[in-house]
Amino acid sequence: MSKALVIAEKPSVAQDIVRALTPIDGKFEKHDEYFESEHYVVSSAVGHLVEIKAPDEFDVKRGKWSFANLPVIPPHFDLNPIDKSKGRLNALVKLIKRKDVTSLINACDAGREGELIFRLIVQYAADSTVTTRAKGLGKDVSRLWLQSMTPAAIRDGFEQLRTDEQMLPLASAARCRSEADWLVGINGTRAMTAFNSRDGGFFLTTVGRVQTPTLSIVVEREEKIRKHVFRDYWEIRGSFGAQAGSYDGKWFNPEFKKARGAAEGSLEAEQKADRVWSAAEAQAIADAVRGQSGTVTEESKPSTQASQLLYDLTTLQREANSRFGFSAKTTLGLAQALYEKHKVLTYPRTDSRALPEDYLSVVQQTMGMIADEDLPGPLKDLAQHARKALNEGYIKPIKRVFDNAKVSDHFAIIPTLQAPRSLTEAEAKLYDMVVKRFIAVFYPSAEFMVTTRITQVPAAGVTHHFQTNGKILVKPGWMAVYGKEAAEEGDDAHLVAVQPGESVGNEDVTVTALKTKPPARYTEATLLSAMEGAGKLIDDEELKAAMQEKGLGTPATRAQVIEGLLTEKYMLREGRELIPTAKAFQLTTLLRGLGVEDLTKPELTGNWEHQLSEMEKGRLSREAFMDEIAAMTQRIVQKAKEYDRDTIPGDYATLQTPCPNCGGVVKENYRRFTCVGKGAATGADGEAATGCGFSMTKIPAGRSFELHEVEQLLRTHKLGPLEGFRSKAGWPFTAELKMVQDAEANNWKMEFDFGEDAKKEEESGEAIDFSAQTTLGACPKCNSSVFEHGTNYICEKSVGPQPSCDFKTGKVILQQPITPEQLAKLLENGKTDLLDGFVSNKTRRKFKAFLSWNAKEGKVGFEFEPRAPRAAGKTAGKTAGTAAGTAAGSPAGKTAAKKAARKVASKKAAA
């Protein structure tokens, strides 16, 4: 009997489909990777299982990237299985090729990405590189299009399957977006890397359609911060006494009007009604009203505030960052665990904040689960609010919650019918946020009484005005669900009553000196908002409309984009702030200078979205779009390849530290820091006019200097250890830098310091003078003093004519710099803080560990964070693999690897 293979995007959706089909097709037998009934085989992917890649003849390893191999525009794209999902892919391929499977039903998520996931799996199974249909398999293809996951909606979807022909325009748009991202990302990255590596080394310079405009947003904000002119201004506050008590007010000018079209950061743009720009004028106002009487007018009017909409992923990430400091990546990981592991939240990777219109009964059941007061943990305190929502009939088919038009591939994040058990503290915080929002969205609006009070004080023929605002919560409505959080938010000021016509006296007046502030740096919360609303930055109305629902990236990828910028050292986290590095400014300067600034702007995404939307409607061909992308790719490469000037124009710095050779001024250009002589000037492009000849690269071994780093290097002649350097083959390493005299050039030059001088000193057998240093602590072997020496920390007794100790540990272990402060902690407490920059020699992955003193082994070793208990066999294997993989190549690592191996061996022997 012939059967239809249904391929969902996620296992949970496959299970929902099975439950919906069981009443009409009978029982499904459960197998490892699929369910099977009389007429259906139901299985699923786990997101993307394959990725596109250029054919092998177009693949150039990164250490050999050069303009000679660019641009890379392959005639077609091959497919590569994604390593972690190979098992699932192979299982699906077997099902697709089963002889009794005569048709395929695409049940992946209803959108462009879901279409792509299915098409690539089928293409891989058909072993074809060009087909967009299952021609090579001889099987019919149809589309299940679901926006609601209720059993009835699923059954209706099977009754109205879309044909393969109907879906081809969407499939073409999906492939075009994927291939265009590859072409621009690969060629842009290789071209900029080749340009920056012209002087030698390998300076990896990544660009991308989403990554680079996101970085540009952060860089442009930092440029405004750096250029901000701090201006002094004054505010005046008065305290007034009425019969019922005292209240405060702020002076303002009622005649003030905001200047239109004022340039951001200008004095006109910073003018406000309550700012006074002269200390003398502010003091004169204060002196005039002090002790005087005034009259009061006030206006009170009711105001309402509805609960915020349900969460989509970006909103959840944004608020979790603001409230708890969670990174976007952390929030996504927690939400994914609550969805996959605990099954207490719906699918989190969504950009929708509404529910399908047929979800009313599901919401009522979910609210009933929350209302169960016997449930433990996060739901206990919320049960009363859920019960009230049910009893008062708050759950209605309201349009702001239930709206099919506002549901895209997925609906909003809400709790499921599964009650939570054994959540971690972080998981419970996030779950609590979602449940509160879910309950609150059905509650009535909060009601306030908003009062604006104006106090007028006549003095010396001039009337001065003071404004006081009050907002009193009358009915909490949805705010009751949030308790204290909402009470604090909604209760701005309780104003004492003032009788009509009552005269009030000034009791005190103060003048406060303040300064204008630059724009705030981006946090992950505000950057996520900027990415989501990037369309607002576009002037072209057509492109802006295309990006209205998209923004930069998707909810599923924005966290990954931010983490990628951090990993590539384009940004740093400092507290909650995201700060662009010198590498970020260098990339921005390069793209502007080469005339490929469109890579930095959201208009690129807007243009693509507009064209892909046209393609989905059948108005634009796939070939026309890809021809345009190929032309753009060639232009980017050509601009970089043909640039023939010595430097890129930009806004470059003048260093505070003088030239180490002649004491002259050192200036920056695109590639170097160069002496321009004492009092010398430079041209607009930063090129040196005159100087002593001292010059040093800005990007040694592919790592950009921060200004404070180069200042320190020139001042002290040494720096580091620093991470982020790359060898000619592209591998990262950590090293120290030093300035040394170059006798041949009669000048100074920069070199890497790998401790060779110190090593020769140690091997000479002569005494080493540590008197100028402060000891870092007592040697754990012999209790003598430990000092810095070259690239190591050593015991003073381990060197000299008669060494009696052998304690030594590196300043850098597996690319993790070990600071003197951390080494001091190791010597005093037996271990360092948890360090997160170790990089495995075997897997090249980062890992976290403590460095600890192992007295038994007499060595420094790794100590890992305790993990939750797992099955014995899995735990043993994982421990051995982690220790052996991450520890290779260092004394600390070898110790950890040997211990892990012994543990595994003993467990195997016992078994």
Side-chain angles (χ1 to χ4, degrees):
M1 178 181 292
S2 63
K3 297 188 178 188
L5 172 61
V6 182
I7 300 178
E9 189 168 321
K10 300 174 290 291
S12 62
V13 175
Q15 291 170 352
D16 288 339
I17 290 171
V18 167
R19 280 191 285 268
L21 292 179
T22 297
I24 60 173
D25 201 51
K27 183 180 179 182
F28 278 76
E29 293 292 331
K30 187 179 186 305
H31 300 267
D32 287 344
E33 302 286 356
Y34 63 95
F35 302 86
E36 187 166 0
S37 68
E38 185 178 358
H39 298 101
Y40 294 102
V41 178
V42 180
S43 189
S44 75
V46 280
H48 281 279
L49 302 185
V50 293
E51 57 191 357
I52 65 168
K53 76 176 189 80
D56 290 338
E57 62 267 28
F58 289 86
D59 186 30
V60 182
K61 300 304 178 188
R62 59 182 173 181
K64 296 180 181 178
W65 290 355
S66 71
F67 286 121
N69 301 310
L70 294 175
V72 180
I73 305 177
H76 65 267
F77 286 91
D78 292 342
L79 297 179
N80 249 0
I82 296 173
D83 285 342
K84 65 179 181 180
S85 307
K86 273 186 177 178
R88 181 58 66 112
L89 176 61
N90 292 336
L92 276 177
V93 169
K94 284 181 182 178
L95 294 174
I96 289 171
K97 291 187 174 182
R98 269 177 46 170
K99 290 183 178 180
D100 61 339
V101 170
T102 58
S103 64
L104 307 177
I105 298 176
N106 177 6
C108 292
D109 295 342
R112 192 189 295 161
E113 211 60 24
E115 197 67 27
L116 182 65
I117 288 170
F118 173 82
R119 297 279 171 173
L120 293 184
I121 291 170
V122 172
Q123 177 182 326
Y124 183 83
D127 194 27
S128 168
T129 56
V130 294
T131 184
T132 55
R133 303 177 60 188
K135 291 176 183 175
L137 296 166
K139 301 174 193 277
D140 293 330
V141 174
S142 53
R143 184 63 151 109
L144 177 66
W145 193 265
L146 299 175
Q147 289 184 302
S148 172
M149 295 307 299
T150 63
I154 293 171
R155 287 191 286 269
D156 286 345
F158 273 91
E159 291 293 324
Q160 303 172 46
L161 291 174
R162 301 184 182 185
T163 67
D164 190 40
E165 284 72 19
Q166 287 177 294
M167 304 312 299
L168 286 179
L170 181 64
S172 294
R175 286 178 180 275
C176 284
R177 198 277 310 153
S178 178
E179 292 171 8
D181 271 345
W182 191 97
L183 286 170
V184 171
I186 290 293
N187 285 281
T189 293
R190 292 184 180 185
M192 299 311 137
T193 299
F195 186 92
N196 281 332
S197 304
R198 276 175 164 171
D199 291 344
F202 182 77
F203 184 23
L204 180 61
T205 310
T206 59
V207 299
R209 175 182 61 89
V210 175
Q211 170 190 300
T212 307
T214 300
L215 180 64
S216 181
I217 289 171
V218 180
V219 168
E220 287 175 8
R221 174 66 59 87
E222 192 69 18
E223 286 175 334
K224 290 175 183 176
I225 292 170
R226 292 182 180 184
K227 291 176 181 177
H228 179 75
V229 178
F230 289 91
R231 298 183 176 94
D232 296 321
Y233 71 93
W234 288 261
E235 287 184 350
I236 307 156
R237 290 183 178 272
S239 180
F240 300 93
Q243 294 176 18
S246 298
Y247 65 91
D248 292 335
K250 182 194 284 189
W251 179 91
F252 75 102
N253 176 9
E255 305 299 323
F256 173 80
K257 290 184 179 178
K258 189 75 175 175
R260 290 185 177 182
E264 187 175 0
S266 66
L267 178 60
E268 291 78 13
E270 291 180 337
Q271 298 276 2
K272 290 186 179 180
D274 57 5
R275 290 181 176 180
V276 178
W277 296 93
S278 157
E281 182 185 353
Q283 194 58 52
I285 293 171
D287 292 342
V289 301
R290 186 172 284 109
Q292 300 297 315
S293 296
T295 56
V296 178
T297 59
E298 69 178 23
E299 179 184 359
S300 295
K301 56 183 180 181
S303 174
T304 61
Q305 181 184 339
S307 164
Q308 294 188 58
L309 296 175
L310 295 168
Y311 284 117
D312 61 5
L313 178 59
T314 300
T315 311
L316 185 65
Q317 288 171 318
R318 194 165 60 226
E319 292 191 19
N321 180 256
S322 298
R323 289 186 58 189
F324 308 122
F326 293 166
S327 70
K329 179 183 177 182
T330 297
T331 299
L332 176 56
L334 292 170
Q336 202 69 25
L338 290 166
Y339 164 68
E340 287 180 355
K341 177 183 174 184
H342 301 288
K343 306 188 186 308
V344 296
L345 288 188
T346 57
Y347 186 67
R349 296 170 184 254
T350 175
D351 60 358
S352 299
R353 302 187 69 182
L355 298 175
E357 291 168 10
D358 63 356
Y359 249 57
L360 185 65
S361 63
V362 176
V363 166
Q364 289 171 330
Q365 293 173 52
T366 306
M367 199 71 76
M369 181 275 293
I370 300 169
D372 185 348
E373 297 180 4
D374 294 331
L375 289 173
L379 296 181
K380 192 169 186 179
D381 296 333
L382 297 174
Q384 58 175 321
H385 301 297
R387 177 57 56 195
K388 182 176 181 180
L390 290 168
N391 292 343
E392 299 291 331
Y394 291 162
I395 304 170
K396 303 171 184 175
I398 47 180
K399 200 68 174 174
R400 70 189 300 263
V401 178
F402 301 98
D403 188 349
N404 287 346
K406 294 181 180 177
V407 174
S408 55
D409 301 13
H410 305 281
F411 51 77
I413 304 171
I414 61 172
T416 66
L417 290 167
Q418 178 73 42
R421 296 283 189 276
S422 305
L423 303 185
T424 66
E425 182 181 354
E427 288 169 345
K429 284 180 176 178
L430 204 70
Y431 182 72
D432 181 69
M433 284 177 63
V434 175
V435 175
K436 281 181 176 173
R437 180 64 62 86
F438 174 71
I439 299 172
V441 78
F442 295 102
Y443 264 60
S445 296
E447 297 181 13
F448 300 90
M449 185 60 69
V450 178
T451 301
T452 302
R453 176 178 295 173
I454 306 297
T455 304
Q456 301 179 50
V457 183
V462 178
T463 299
H464 295 285
H465 297 74
F466 291 80
Q467 181 169 313
T468 310
N469 297 311
K471 185 178 180 183
I472 298 173
L473 184 63
V474 178
K475 290 183 179 179
W478 63 268
M479 287 188 169
V481 178
Y482 286 83
K484 290 182 180 179
E485 300 168 30
E488 291 164 3
E489 182 181 320
D491 197 2
D492 292 349
H494 290 284
L495 291 181
V496 298
V498 175
Q499 301 301 318
E502 182 180 349
S503 177
V504 297
N506 173 251
E507 298 177 335
D508 189 26
V509 61
T510 58
V511 176
T512 305
L514 300 166
K515 287 182 181 292
T516 58
K517 293 181 180 179
R521 282 195 175 112
Y522 281 105
T523 63
E524 289 204 36
T526 54
L527 183 56
L528 286 166
S529 294
M531 293 174 74
E532 187 178 39
K536 297 174 184 175
L537 305 173
I538 297 175
D539 295 326
D540 186 290
E541 292 300 322
E542 205 170 44
L543 303 188
K544 182 183 290 188
M547 272 193 78
Q548 189 172 9
E549 300 298 325
K550 300 289 182 182
L552 284 172
T554 67
T557 61
R558 285 178 190 135
Q560 182 183 341
V561 169
I562 293 172
E563 290 297 323
L565 291 170
L566 291 163
T567 299
E568 289 298 333
K569 308 300 182 188
Y570 282 120
M571 299 191 307
L572 299 173
R573 276 195 191 101
E574 194 168 284
R576 295 192 183 184
E577 292 183 335
L578 298 172
I579 303 174
T581 62
K583 184 178 179 181
F585 281 94
Q586 198 163 6
L587 174 61
T588 304
T589 299
L590 175 60
L591 296 176
R592 290 171 180 170
L594 292 178
V596 289
E597 202 173 356
D598 48 345
L599 276 178
T600 70
K601 296 186 176 298
E603 278 90 341
L604 178 60
T605 290
N607 182 43
W608 285 20
E609 286 299 336
H610 172 65
Q611 293 188 67
L612 293 174
S613 176
E614 293 292 288
M615 193 181 300
E616 289 175 14
K617 296 168 186 171
R619 299 173 187 164
L620 179 69
S621 72
R622 169 167 158 73
E623 291 72 24
F625 178 83
M626 292 309 299
D627 286 346
E628 186 176 319
I629 297 300
M632 175 189 176
T633 300
Q634 289 172 325
R635 183 175 62 82
I636 291 169
V637 172
Q638 206 67 20
K639 288 271 190 178
K641 187 185 292 189
E642 294 180 349
Y643 192 82
D644 58 359
R645 297 179 63 189
D646 292 334
T647 189
I648 298 285
D651 184 13
Y652 296 115
T654 300
L655 300 187
Q656 300 297 312
T657 308
C659 170
N661 191 52
C662 72
V665 176
V666 178
K667 284 184 174 281
E668 172 193 20
N669 61 34
Y670 181 71
R671 296 187 185 278
R672 306 186 72 79
F673 294 104
T674 303
C675 174
V676 296
K678 296 182 179 180
T682 60
D685 61 359
E687 276 298 295
T690 60
C692 70
F694 170 76
S695 179
M696 57 179 274
T697 180
K698 285 170 59 177
I699 46 174
R703 183 193 187 278
S704 296
F705 272 122
E706 298 294 329
L707 286 178
H708 69 89
E709 292 174 342
V710 75
E711 297 270 15
Q712 182 182 333
L713 179 60
L714 295 182
R715 188 172 60 251
T716 65
H717 294 182
K718 64 178 182 179
L719 181 67
L722 303 175
E723 60 176 330
F725 298 109
R726 289 181 184 269
S727 69
K728 289 182 179 180
W731 296 111
F733 67 94
T734 304
E736 294 183 332
L737 294 170
K738 63 181 179 180
M739 299 298 299
V740 297
Q741 282 278 3
D742 183 349
E744 187 178 330
N746 193 27
N747 212 317
W748 288 78
K749 66 178 180 179
M750 177 182 62
E751 289 183 350
F752 284 103
D753 183 2
F754 295 106
E756 294 302 318
D757 293 341
K759 188 176 179 182
K760 289 176 183 175
E761 218 177 345
E762 292 172 30
E763 293 172 349
S764 70
E766 296 179 6
I768 297 175
D769 183 11
F770 292 111
S771 60
Q773 289 192 46
T774 303
T775 180
L776 296 171
C779 172
K781 282 195 164 186
C782 71
N783 214 34
S784 299
S785 294
V786 174
F787 296 97
E788 290 185 60
H789 188 58
T791 57
N792 294 301
Y793 299 106
I794 64 173
C795 173
E796 62 180 337
K797 298 295 185 183
S798 68
V799 292
Q802 294 181 325
S804 58
C805 182
D806 64 356
F807 176 80
K808 179 194 289 188
T809 188
K811 284 185 180 179
V812 179
I813 297 176
L814 294 184
Q815 299 184 40
Q816 167 69 60
I818 312 301
T819 64
E821 293 76 17
Q822 290 298 332
L823 197 278
K825 288 186 178 183
L826 174 67
L827 297 177
E828 183 178 355
N829 306 321
K831 70 177 181 179
T832 63
D833 294 335
L834 184 65
L835 305 176
D836 62 1
F838 296 107
V839 179
S840 163
N841 280 336
K842 184 176 180 181
T843 65
R844 315 306 302 176
R845 291 179 181 171
K846 280 193 172 186
F847 67 95
K848 299 179 183 179
F850 303 92
L851 284 183
S852 64
W853 175 248
N854 187 321
K856 186 176 179 181
E857 298 269 350
K859 295 178 181 179
V860 174
F862 290 137
E863 183 178 320
F864 297 98
E865 284 185 292
R867 294 184 178 181
R870 297 184 182 182
K874 288 184 179 178
T875 305
K878 185 100 175 185
T879 304
T882 303
T886 57
S890 75
K894 289 172 184 173
T895 302
K898 286 176 183 176
K899 281 188 170 182
R902 282 199 297 270
K903 279 185 182 179
V904 176
S906 63
K907 287 187 178 182
K908 284 183 177 177

